[in-house]
Amino acid sequence: AVPSMAVEKLPELERLDFLQEGRNVVLAGNPGTGKTHIATALGIRACQEAHKVLFVTVPRLLTQLRESHSDRTLRQMEMRFENYDLVIRDEFGYVSFDKQVAEMLFTHLSLRAGRKSTIITTAAAAANLSFDRWNELFGDPVLTAALVDRLTHRAHIVNMNGESYRLKQTKEMIEKNS
């Protein structure tokens, strides 16, 4: 059920060359197409190769950023973040945020740009892999353009549009029980 572009790209991503190259991976598509599953599998593969990996949902990251800012421990959090070989940011674009949090998230994600790899899973860029909707999240076209520029520069962008496996299973269950 994994979209064809992902099936084609998986063997290359599984080699983890993107980690040595400091390249990002953007898994973009509608819900239920395996974005989180693939990101998690790549994270596990990186752990097996003794890489330091962090997995966190973006809503949880936003909470951590707000709390660190309030506690005046934001720089400590950023320093820890920079030490990971791979950071997986799941569910990017599912929740919007205010300007202050948008700026903190931008700074946070920019720390790794061009040096260390980040995997982003997002439905926000699903339509033809257009990142135009991200402006709705950040509320600032300049900030959005800079973030998209940093995240997508030399990135592997994988179109994960396809049929939701969850929806497919639900339909099958309904048909079976009918």
Side-chain angles (χ1 to χ4, degrees):
V2 174
S4 60
M5 184 178 186
V7 171
E8 293 170 17
K9 197 75 167 165
L10 273 176
E12 179 183 356
L13 295 175
E14 286 175 328
R15 289 194 308 266
L16 302 178
D17 294 341
F18 69 94
L19 287 177
Q20 283 73 36
E21 299 163 355
R23 295 175 67 183
N24 295 333
V25 176
V26 178
L27 302 170
N30 44 320
T33 56
K35 298 179 299 294
T36 299
H37 184 81
I38 289 172
T40 302
L42 291 171
I44 290 169
R45 177 86 173 100
C47 287
Q48 291 170 336
E49 297 291 323
H51 293 284
K52 289 173 42 179
V53 178
L54 171 67
F55 178 98
V56 68
T57 64
V58 172
R60 174 129 173 116
L61 171 63
L62 297 177
T63 299
Q64 291 172 345
L65 286 170
R66 284 185 191 104
E67 289 172 355
S68 294
H69 184 264
S70 295
D71 297 345
R72 299 182 188 270
T73 59
L74 188 57
R75 183 62 193 137
Q76 291 168 333
M77 181 183 171
E78 290 171 346
M79 288 175 12
R80 283 191 312 270
F81 178 69
E82 287 180 278
N83 288 326
Y84 289 99
D85 299 315
L86 174 62
V87 173
I88 301 170
R89 295 291 182 231
D90 192 34
E91 302 176 351
F92 197 97
Y94 286 82
V95 294
S96 59
F97 28 83
D98 61 36
K99 185 169 175 55
Q100 180 186 25
V101 172
E103 289 170 357
M104 285 190 291
L105 182 61
F106 169 78
T107 301
H108 196 67
L109 292 171
S110 294
L111 294 171
R112 304 173 56 81
R115 296 182 315 103
K116 295 202 175 179
S117 299
T118 300
I119 296 176
I120 300 284
T121 70
T122 181
N128 298 320
L129 296 179
S130 168
F131 295 90
D132 296 340
R133 277 205 52 221
W134 284 19
N135 188 42
E136 296 170 23
L137 300 170
F138 286 92
D140 181 333
V142 175
L143 188 66
T144 303
L147 179 65
V148 169
D149 181 66
R150 282 169 179 76
L151 287 177
T152 61
H153 180 245
R154 297 180 36 244
H156 295 278
I157 301 174
V158 183
N159 182 340
M160 296 288 296
N161 281 323
E163 184 181 0
S164 167
Y165 74 89
R166 289 185 209 94
L167 187 57
K168 182 179 175 186
Q169 286 180 341
T170 301
K171 287 178 183 177
E172 288 171 359
M173 188 178 74
I174 291 170
E175 289 174 10
K176 182 181 173 183
N177 294 330
S178 295

